[in-house]
Amino acid sequence: IPSLPWSDEPLLAETQRIRDELLRINKLGYWTLASQPALDAVPSSDATYGWGPRGGYIYQKAFVECFVPAQMFPAFLSRLQSASPRITYYASNAQGDFITNAYSSQSDTENATAVTALTWGVFPGRAVVQPTLIDKMNFLAWRTEAFQTWREWANMFARDSSEARFLCGTADECWLVNVVDNEFKNPDAIWEMFR
């Protein structure tokens, strides 16, 4: 499958680094939507991972965003919670239930201002550049679109068809989960969460 309704582009070259793990977790029942490998000081001139001015270095935290079937979600959430604070997660379902461990440094309770940098670059003569962030507001906005996409996909089939029932039922029963491994120096650690 070259693309899915949530992304109209084929896999990027950087995905090759984590392709086998993505295939493994999809076979387990996690339906991945977005992901990136961890990077530690990759030259900004690198043909696959580089960006920005020459002479800089790129850093990334590994992350995976996926749909998780409701029956798998409690055990998955337990693993995520036990790995906190190394793992930051946002999770929500179509009914609006929301769970996160993303807290600001000033509080032990959920805070809408908590922001996690996913990608950043360090370049000569410049402040640190953070082009990719995740926070509650952006996750919840994406959640609405992600669950609506299931319904739009279902509309491509006859209303009472098995395909439409499957797609609408899946939207009603799964969780959208964004998992970030804050330990970017250990690029394979995130995969321990997906069993």
Side-chain angles (χ1 to χ4, degrees), residues 43-60:
S44 61
S45 59
D46 184 89
T48 301
Y49 304 104
W51 54 269
R54 295 184 76 67
Y57 294 93
I58 307 304
Y59 300 85
Q60 289 186 171

Side-chain angles (χ1 to χ4, degrees), residues 133-161:
L133 306 168
I134 181 73
D135 63 15
K136 177 182 178 181
M137 182 178 71
N138 287 316
F139 176 80
L140 291 178
W142 164 237
R143 177 218 42 210
T144 301
E145 183 180 340
F147 282 108
Q148 182 59 34
T149 301
W150 283 105
R151 301 213 183 321
E152 290 171 6
W153 194 6
N155 287 336
M156 296 177 68
F157 301 95
R159 174 175 243 143
D160 291 328
S161 69

Side-chain angles (χ1 to χ4, degrees), residues 150-151 154-155 163-173:
W150 283 105
R151 301 213 183 321
N155 287 336
E163 294 90 350
R165 284 193 307 274
F166 170 78
L167 293 167
C168 288
T170 301
D172 290 339
E173 296 175 10

Side-chain angles (χ1 to χ4, degrees), residues 73 76-91 98-103 116 134 139 177-182:
F73 183 70
F76 185 54
L77 179 61
S78 178
R79 286 192 299 278
L80 298 177
Q81 290 170 331
S82 68
S84 184
R86 191 193 95 218
I87 296 291
T88 299
Y89 60 87
Y90 296 85
F98 176 73
I99 304 169
T100 187
N101 70 336
Y103 307 116
T116 300
I134 181 73
F139 176 80
V177 183
N178 182 295
V179 180
V180 178
D181 192 330
N182 294 300

Side-chain angles (χ1 to χ4, degrees), residues 101-122:
N101 70 336
Y103 307 116
S104 73
S105 59
Q106 292 85 26
S107 172
D108 286 338
T109 59
E110 178 195 332
N111 184 331
T113 63
V115 176
T116 300
L118 297 176
T119 303
W120 63 101
V122 179

